[in-house]
């Protein structure tokens, strides 16, 4: 078996030519007189590279299966005729290999001569000059002259494809090595490229001979990365030239947490290259992390602190000191007048662990209350609650790589190829290898259309019926005797299991009984349950389609029940895996952002834990949980909550029922927003503090697999301060002393107070590359797989929870006959503040409403029509897309563009346990309209007014200089 996905613990900057073998059997061979021992299945090329005998190559690279087309890697082997290709020849016991002699040298020179005779020799002006394998190989084989001349037939006039905004395809430089085609298939799993034609006419073609932009290419960059010539080159390299130095850091978009080499020219970022040594991505990337970094230097960046007395006034640009002192005096006077509880703050899942830790510390220690919350409230708070109740820890149980050992993959309410693309590619690879796929989702997500996978089962359930579905799956497992009795007996609480078993066996939980509720045939559910339960290793992956419901927490517990009942916890290939949305949503929860939990999930009411924090922070702490975000909004409207500090979140766009949120923000006496742009929330602010992008600071992010990755500063902060420094200044101005010289000191403090982080330090992170918590005395090198022996629960046992299905109160009726559900798209990210300021706009420049042809026809709707969408909460207008991906009765949109007002129509309904909003179920009616909604008209007017205020502030500041 070949190794593609396991971290290459050899030098990640070196290309060994072919993937490593996972075989445990070793073979010994001799290469150029050097004896070496390698796992069986290793290619001769790799075996040689491992002892630094580097055989020339062009079509081989170590993240792709060997192809054997260029013949440059020919070697001689004792007892074998001819000159076999070393990339496709496996090393064998006792083999004797020669990689260098006159015969081989001549052969290689001849091959290179043929390549070069059909290549534009413009090396000095070529963007890849100095970073071109063709150039390197010409040097390596000692090519000095080309005998064939350039007059014959050639490809030198082949056209360029410049359709993709980020890279160019210059066909005249192509050597048809097929590395790009294979990267698109094997690494990315999109199959957008082919080699079209034969012999001399063969060429790389995107899609059906389309441009890259028009093809199904998703701009992941894997082909650009794989190309050994300048044929596929980043436009930034063409424009700016080769970089001078690089720094390894972590992508700031999604919860996959890909590692990148930020390649720099001085302080200018030239290119982001996925890091082969990255433990989460192993050298792969998606369009966002790879290319969409231009927002960091966008002209809209806020570079100067600003203040104003009222949101109807222009901003005034001020220095840091004045802005911090203005904010602190406002906060102090509001507390003096309205009480300690009248202010609070919101931490950010976009910011680092260290920054988030400091914000909640500021709130608890300097504000003197627990009114801290985070955007996880609106995404994965049910994961925290549900997994804590059942498995004892608020986190996913696996590494991403674990999926390569799964035999059955159950995806519920998640869309990995769009929302977690690099992991989506890994998942597709495993599915191509033969793992079975079950998708429970109202939409036919792209994963179901993965090329070259076996039968996939789609359970197209109705929005709001998740719990009925998971109960039905578990019902089949138990009533058909498919449970893992040994695992349950050894690893789970006996009484809780007995109660749950009785509950789940009731006929009202059977697939037949819930068919009406879920809309999915009982036979399909039974089949899916059997496939899942009978698989040696079955894993569950879920997303916001699980959590953002009135029964989000119940559903998470239902998922954990299913995993426990089938014994799919505690080893590779199994587990419960929440696909966390934002880059640091796991970290922001770990860092104590929630009002009821101190860092490390220690409850504020626990006197021992609280005492430790009190001793370390030198204050006494409130033992009552503070306000959650929705409570803050309600209290603001009621006049009890008067000031809010928001770091790096855009609650005015991301939270449900926009008009309610706007009313709350307008009611505040003081709103302090710290962000890199004038986002929607900042339009209601009195203090605007410039934020720093991930490129401008040091820190750590924790991804969806609990992996703590380093974020490293590659350029100075545009406004002169990193975010953590601003929080420190605000604390000091409030009279609570904070002092750190570097974020590593903040991490040391976290490690001293949060038991699962006890063994984490920057030094150790730098040594290991990354660490998965828990990382402490018990697990000094971190914990890739959790719950291997026991659960962090009383007596170490897993807990089955009763998961009664309770229908949401948000139901379709005659007035609102359709159910709206929301989601994400690959090219945009969340509220779009970053990606809308990049060329990713080429793929998705507006949010649209997808609806089934039947619903469209009933209403006389065609593709592209403007649709008024009305719910119990509000009304907005979007363009229509008629799509068979939808089921009748269900409509879908994204929320990446603020003017769309997608959250104007979502309601205040929320999860019973955590208040996570029910974004995924909103009853609506749609009709053709001809003009924007009233809210949209107001939005545009306010947008222009607030931007004018900003421009006026800059103009005044400029005239004062
Ligand atoms: S960018 Fe990615 S998806 Fe597009 S052709 Fe290249 S490998 Fe395929
Ligand atoms: S575009 Fe690059 S990787 Fe693809 S066949 Fe041509 S030279 Fe090889
Ligand atoms: S998959 Fe996520 S972390 Fe990786 S590059 Fe894309 S957005 Fe960044
Ligand atoms: S590198 Fe082996 S045949 Fe091309």
């Amino acid at each position: 078996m070949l190794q593609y996905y396991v971290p290459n613990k050899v030098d990640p900057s070196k290309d060994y030519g072919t993937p490593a073998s996972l075989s445990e059997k070793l073979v010994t061979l001799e290469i150029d007189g050097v004896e070496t021992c390698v796992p069986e299945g290793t290619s001769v090329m790799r075996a040689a590279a491992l002892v630094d005998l580097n055989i020339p190559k062009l079509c081989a690279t170590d993240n792709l299966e060997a192809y054997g087309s260029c013949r440059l890697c020919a070697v001689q082997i004792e007892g074998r005729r001819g000159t076999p290709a070393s990339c496709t020849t496996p090393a064998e016991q006792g083999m004797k290999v020669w990689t260098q002699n006159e015969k081989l040298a001549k052969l290689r020179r001849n091959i290179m001569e043929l390549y070069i005779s059909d290549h534009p020799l413009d090396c000095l002006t070529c963007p890849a000059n100095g970073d071109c394998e063709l150039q390197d190989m010409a040097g390596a084989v000692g090519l000095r002259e080309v005998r064939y001349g350039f007059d014959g037939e050639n490809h030198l006039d082949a056209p360029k494809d410049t359709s993709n905004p980020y890279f160019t395809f210059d066909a005249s430089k192509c050597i048809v090595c097929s590395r790009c085609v294979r990267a698109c298939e094997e690494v990315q799993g999109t199959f957008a490229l082919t080699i079209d034609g034969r012999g001399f006419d063969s060429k790389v073609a995107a899609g059906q001979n389309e441009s890259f932009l028009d093809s199904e290419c998703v701009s992941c960059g894997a082909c650009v990365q794989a190309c050994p010539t300048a044929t596929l080159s980043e436009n930034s390299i063409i424009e700016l030239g080769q970089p001078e130095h690089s720094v390894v850091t972590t992508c700031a978009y999604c919860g996959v947490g890909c590692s990148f080499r930020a390649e720099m020219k001085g302080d200018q970022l030239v290119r982001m290259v996925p890091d082969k040594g990255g433990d989460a991505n192993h050298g792969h990337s998606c369009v966002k992390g790879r290319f969409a970094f231009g927002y960091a230097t966008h002209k809209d960046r806020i570079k100067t602190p600003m203040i104003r007395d009222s949101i109807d006034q222009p901003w005034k640009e001020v220095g840091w000191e004045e802005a911090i002192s203005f904010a602190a005096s406002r906060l102090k006077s509001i507390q003096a007048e309205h009480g300690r509880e009248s202010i609070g703050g919101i931490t950010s899942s976009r910011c680092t662990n260290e920054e988030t830790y400091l914000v909640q510390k500021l709130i608890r220690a300097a504000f003197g209350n627990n009114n801290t919350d985070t955007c996880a409230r609106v995404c994965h708070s049910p994961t925290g609650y549900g997994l804590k109740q059942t498995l004892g820890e608020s986190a996913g149980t696996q590494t991403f790589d674990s999926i390569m050992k799964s035999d059955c993959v159950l995806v519920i309410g998640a869309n990995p190829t769009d929302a977690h693309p690099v992991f989506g590619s890994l998942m597709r690879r495993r599915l191509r290898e033969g793992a079975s796929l079950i998708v429970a989702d109202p939409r036919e997500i792209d994963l179901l259309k993965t090329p070259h996978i076996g039968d996939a089962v789609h359970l197209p359930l109705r929005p709001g019926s998740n719990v009925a579905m998971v109960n039905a799956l578990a019902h089949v497992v138990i009533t058909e005797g498919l449970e893992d009795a040994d695992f349950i007996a050894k690893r789970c609480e006996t009484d809780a299991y007995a109660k749950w078993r009785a509950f789940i066996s009731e006929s009202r939980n059977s697939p037949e009984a819930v068919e009406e509720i879920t809309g999915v045939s009982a036979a399909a559910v039974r089949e899916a349950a059997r496939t899942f339960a009978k698989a040696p290793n079955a894993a569950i992956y879920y997303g916001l389609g699980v959590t953002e419901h009135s029964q989000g927490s119940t559903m998470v517990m239902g998922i954990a029940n299913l995993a426990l009942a089938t014994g799919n916890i505690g080893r590779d290939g199994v587990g419960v895996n929440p696909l966390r949305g934002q880059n640091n949503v796991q970290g922001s929860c770990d860092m104590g952002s929630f009002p009821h939990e101190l860092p490390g999930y220690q409850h504020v009411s626990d006197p021992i834990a609280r005492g430790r924090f009190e001793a370390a922070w030198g204050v006494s702490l409130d033992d009552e949980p503070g306000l959650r975000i929705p409570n803050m909004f309600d209290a603001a409207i009621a006049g009890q909550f008067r000031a809010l500090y928001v770091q790096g979140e855009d609650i005015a766009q991301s939270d449900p029922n926009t008009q309610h949120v706007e009313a709350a923000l307008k009611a505040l006496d003081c709103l302090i927003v710290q962000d890199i742009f004038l986002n929607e929330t900042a339009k209601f602010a009195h203090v605007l503090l410039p934020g720093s992008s991930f490129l401008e600071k040091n820190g750590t992010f924790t991804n969806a697999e609990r992996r703590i990755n380093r974020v490293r500063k590659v350029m100075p902060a545009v406004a002169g301060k990193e975010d953590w420094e601003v929080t420190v200044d605000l604390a000091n101005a409030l009279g609570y002393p904070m002092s750190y010289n570097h974020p590593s000191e903040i991490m040391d403090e976290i490690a001293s107070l949060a038991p699962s982080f006890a063994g984490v330090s920057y030094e150790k992170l730098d040594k290991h590359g990354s660490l998965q918590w828990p990382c402490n005395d018990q697990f000094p090198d971190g914990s890739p797989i959790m719950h291997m022996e026991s659960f962090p629960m009383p007596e170490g046992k897993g807990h089955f929870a009763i998961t009664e299905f309770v229908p949401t109160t948000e139901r379709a009726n005659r007035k609102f006959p359709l159910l709206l559900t929301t989601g994400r798209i690959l090219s945009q990210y969340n509220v779009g503040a970053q990606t809308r300021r990049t060329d990713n706009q080429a793929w998705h420049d507006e949010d649209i409403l997808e609806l089934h042809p039947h619903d469209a026809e009933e209403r006389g709707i065609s593709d592209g029509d403007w649709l008024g969408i009305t719910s119990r909460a509000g009304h907005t207008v979007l363009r229509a897309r008629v799509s068979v991906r939808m089921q009748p009765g269900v409509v879908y949109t994204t929320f990446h563009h603020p003017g769309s007002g997608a959250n104007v129509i979502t309601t205040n309904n929320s999860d019973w346990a955590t208040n996570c909003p029910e974004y995924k179920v909103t009853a609506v009616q749609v009709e053709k309209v001809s003009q924007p909604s009233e809210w949209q008209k107001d939005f545009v007017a306010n947008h222009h007014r607030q931007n004018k205020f900003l421009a006026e502030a800059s103009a005044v500041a400029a005239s004062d200089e």
Side-chain angles (χ1 to χ4, degrees), residues 370-583:
N370 286 324
N371 292 335
T372 169
D373 209 354
T374 184
C375 62
R377 172 71 50 216
V378 299
C379 67
H380 268 286
S381 50
T383 289
Y385 180 87
L387 295 188
K388 185 104 182 166
Q389 298 299 311
T390 46
L391 309 182
E393 194 66 87
S394 302
T397 60
Q398 308 298 119
T399 59
F400 290 139
D401 291 345
S402 155
I403 197 168
M404 296 309 286
K405 301 259 173 70
S406 298
D407 303 294
C408 174
V409 177
L410 170 56
V411 179
I412 311 178
N415 186 6
T417 53
D418 277 53
H420 300 84
V422 164
F423 178 63
S425 289
L426 192 68
M427 191 180 260
R428 283 182 148 168
R429 174 178 284 178
R430 183 61 192 153
L431 296 175
R432 285 198 304 277
E433 287 180 356
S436 51
L437 172 67
I438 304 165
V439 171
D441 200 288
R443 282 170 85 226
E444 190 190 351
I445 59 171
D446 284 348
L447 196 62
L448 286 158
K449 292 182 261 171
T450 298
H452 308 298
I453 62 168
D455 285 347
V457 177
H458 182 202
L459 306 174
L461 76 178
R462 289 205 184 97
S465 65
N466 280 340
V467 173
M469 172 63 78
V470 82
N471 283 349
L473 290 167
H475 174 93
V476 177
V477 170
I478 296 300
T479 56
E480 295 192 7
L482 300 172
E483 75 273 28
D484 185 337
D486 278 356
F487 181 90
I488 295 166
K490 277 195 210 126
R491 302 284 313 268
C492 302
E493 280 174 36
T494 314
D495 288 353
Y497 173 62
K499 282 190 195 129
W500 176 78
R501 186 182 168 92
F503 157 76
I504 210 74
S505 306
E506 290 177 33
S507 60
R508 66 198 171 93
N509 287 319
S510 70
E512 291 71 19
V514 301
E515 208 169 38
E516 274 291 296
I517 300 165
T518 62
V520 180
S521 82
V525 175
R526 283 198 179 273
E527 203 44 52
R530 288 170 193 146
T531 304
F532 183 84
K534 288 179 185 169
N537 286 332
I540 306 174
Y541 293 86
Y542 72 87
L544 303 181
V546 159
T547 53
E548 291 176 343
H549 285 274
S550 62
Q551 279 204 291
S553 293
T554 317
M555 181 60 185
V556 172
M557 293 190 284
I559 286 172
N561 290 340
L562 184 62
L564 289 172
T566 51
N568 280 308
I569 293 277
R571 61 181 189 278
D572 255 331
V574 301
V576 174
N577 302 278
L579 293 173
R580 302 282 192 149
Q582 310 221 50
N583 52 328

Side-chain angles (χ1 to χ4, degrees), residues 45 56-60 67-74 85-88:
M45 173 180 278
K57 61 183 175 52
L58 272 176
C59 69
Y67 189 58
S69 70
C70 74
R71 312 292 303 168
L72 200 63
C73 67
S86 61
C87 62
T88 49

Side-chain angles (χ1 to χ4, degrees), residues 829-901:
Y829 194 70
N830 204 275
V831 294
Q834 295 147 292
T835 43
R836 280 187 282 109
R837 291 179 173 94
T838 69
D839 287 332
N840 278 24
Q841 286 285 85
W843 287 276
H844 183 87
D845 61 358
E846 67 174 318
D847 295 316
I848 46 164
L849 190 83
E850 282 185 45
L851 76 172
H852 189 270
H854 171 77
D855 294 323
E857 196 186 331
E858 258 191 350
R859 293 165 177 78
I861 293 166
S862 309
D863 250 351
D865 285 346
W866 286 109
L867 298 186
I869 308 146
T870 311
S871 73
R872 294 178 179 98
H875 173 71
T876 197
V877 173
L878 295 173
R879 215 188 284 273
R881 177 182 293 156
V882 181
S883 160
V884 287
R885 284 161 65 118
M886 303 310 303
Q887 51 175 295
V890 181
V891 297
Y892 171 86
T893 190
T894 49
F895 55 95
H896 302 303
H897 296 268
S900 307

